[in-house]
């Protein structure tokens, strides 16, 4: 059955998208369009290029996560940079553009100058990916044409409306990586490079700045969750999947395969709801096939 995917942002949590896609395909769902925000935008672009979930998993598992976010000397004001990420994307995406994609795809960003959501669906893929993952303050702003772009999650944490516009008439399956509404905000550690000695990291995390950063980030997290839930209610995807990734922080170094399995588990849990999307005869055939296995 044809569906459109809306992949939400969440940093390292986004590896769950890989498992979601893998299990959806195994259950007979065919993503024919995909929209993504932040890390979801990266997965969306790679999938739309024709990379299967197993291949994407291998690509992510083999990269040195410690080197992705190094800063360039004299670079833009931000906690981290895109030096490693840009080098990796150049190898993976080369100079490919949206015209090279096999299925419709778009990623979202926000223009700081106009305050508008920007839907990126043309031009170089590398520019689009860097723009959609540019978390404000954490990563540098991406200048593109006359735009100053940051992470699309600022305005559109899960791009349901964008996914629906890519494949009108098809049901939208939304993958949400943020904490559910009403869940207490977690304390967030200062994002310092873990290659530093533990004694220095501990000292930095006890500073006044670290405490201020924690209060600020928890406040932003609460607002972002409220925005995500509001937009989900307004845009009403046919199915919402929520992988159990609440224990993972934005820039954690993770076991990619383990996080991907959490995405598969989310699909398995929501399978009765997903099967209701199928026409009745096909739904029956699906159940009979599964029983025979």
């Amino acid at each position: 059955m044809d569906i459109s995917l809306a992949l939400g942002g969440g940093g390292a949590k986004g590896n769950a998208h890989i498992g979601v896609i893998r299990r959806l395909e195994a259950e007979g769902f065919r993503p024919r369009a995909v929209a993504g925000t932040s890390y979801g935008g990266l997965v969306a672009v790679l999938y739309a290029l024709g990379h299967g979930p197993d291949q994407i998993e291998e690509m992510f598992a083999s990269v040195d996560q410690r080197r992705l976010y190094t800063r360039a000397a004299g670079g833009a004001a931000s906690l981290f940079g895109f030096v490693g990420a840009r080098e990796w994307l150049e190898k993976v995406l080369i100079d490919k553009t949206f015209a090279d994609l096999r299925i419709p795809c778009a990623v979202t960003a926000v223009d700081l100058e106009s305050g508008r959501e920007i839907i990126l669906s043309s031009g170089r893929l590398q520019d689009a990916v860097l723009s959609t993952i540019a978390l404000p303050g954490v990563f540098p702003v991406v200048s593109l044409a006359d735009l100053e772009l940051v992470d699309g999650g600022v305005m559109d944490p899960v791009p349901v409306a964008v996914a629906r516009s890519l494949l009108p008439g098809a049901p939208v399956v939304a993958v949400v990586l943020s904490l559910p509404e009403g869940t207490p905000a977690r304390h967030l550690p200062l994002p310092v490079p873990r290659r530093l000695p533990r004694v220095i990291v501990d000292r930095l995390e006890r500073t006044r700045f670290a405490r201020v950063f924690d209060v600020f980030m928890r406040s932003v997290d609460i607002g972002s969750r409220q925005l995500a839930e509001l937009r989900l209610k307004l845009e009403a995807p046919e199915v919402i999947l929520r992988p159990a990734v609440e224990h993972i922080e934005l820039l954690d170094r993770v076991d990619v395969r383990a996080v991907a399995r959490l995405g598969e588990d989310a699909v398995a849990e929501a399978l009765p709801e997903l099967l209701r999307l199928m026409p009745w005869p096909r739904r029956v055939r699906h159940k009979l096939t599964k029983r025979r296995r």
Side-chain angles (χ1 to χ4, degrees), residues 266-289:
V267 174
E269 185 175 344
L271 197 53
E273 188 178 1
L274 285 161
L275 290 177
R276 283 195 288 270
L277 299 177
M278 289 184 172
W280 182 79
R282 189 167 184 179
R283 194 186 315 167
V284 172
R285 288 198 301 271
H286 183 280
K287 289 181 178 179
L288 290 174
T289 301

Side-chain angles (χ1 to χ4, degrees), residues 1-4 24 29 169-174 237-241 270-280 282-283:
M1 177 179 179
D2 292 352
I3 59 172
S4 187
L24 285 172
F29 295 93
V172 175
V173 176
E238 278 66 26
V239 176
I240 297 175
L241 303 178
L271 197 53
E273 188 178 1
L274 285 161
L275 290 177
R276 283 195 288 270
L277 299 177
M278 289 184 172
W280 182 79
R282 189 167 184 179
R283 194 186 315 167

Side-chain angles (χ1 to χ4, degrees), residues 38 50 65-66 80-81 147 229 243 256 270 281:
S38 197
Q65 298 174 39
R66 295 171 300 178
F80 297 98
L147 305 174
E229 296 302 323
V256 171

Side-chain angles (χ1 to χ4, degrees), residues 34 51 102 127:
V34 56
H51 298 295
R102 298 186 181 185
D127 294 335

Side-chain angles (χ1 to χ4, degrees), residues 17-70:
H17 291 315
I18 300 168
V20 165
I21 296 172
R22 179 160 49 218
R23 184 64 185 265
L24 285 172
E25 289 183 341
E27 297 294 344
F29 295 93
R30 298 183 300 273
R32 295 303 192 196
V34 56
T37 291
S38 197
Y39 204 100
L42 170 59
V43 175
V45 164
L46 292 174
Y47 185 70
L49 262 176
H51 298 295
D54 291 348
Q55 189 176 4
I56 297 173
E57 181 178 84
E58 184 57 36
M59 293 164 67
F60 288 176
S62 61
V63 71
D64 185 350
Q65 298 174 39
R66 295 171 300 178
R67 299 182 58 187
L68 284 177
Y69 308 126
T70 51

Side-chain angles (χ1 to χ4, degrees), residues 130-161:
L130 290 174
S131 299
T132 196
I133 67 173
L135 188 67
V138 178
F139 297 118
V141 171
V142 175
S143 297
L144 190 60
D146 58 344
L147 305 174
E148 296 294 310
L149 299 178
V150 295
D151 192 311
V154 170
M155 292 184 69
D156 199 355
V158 189
V160 174

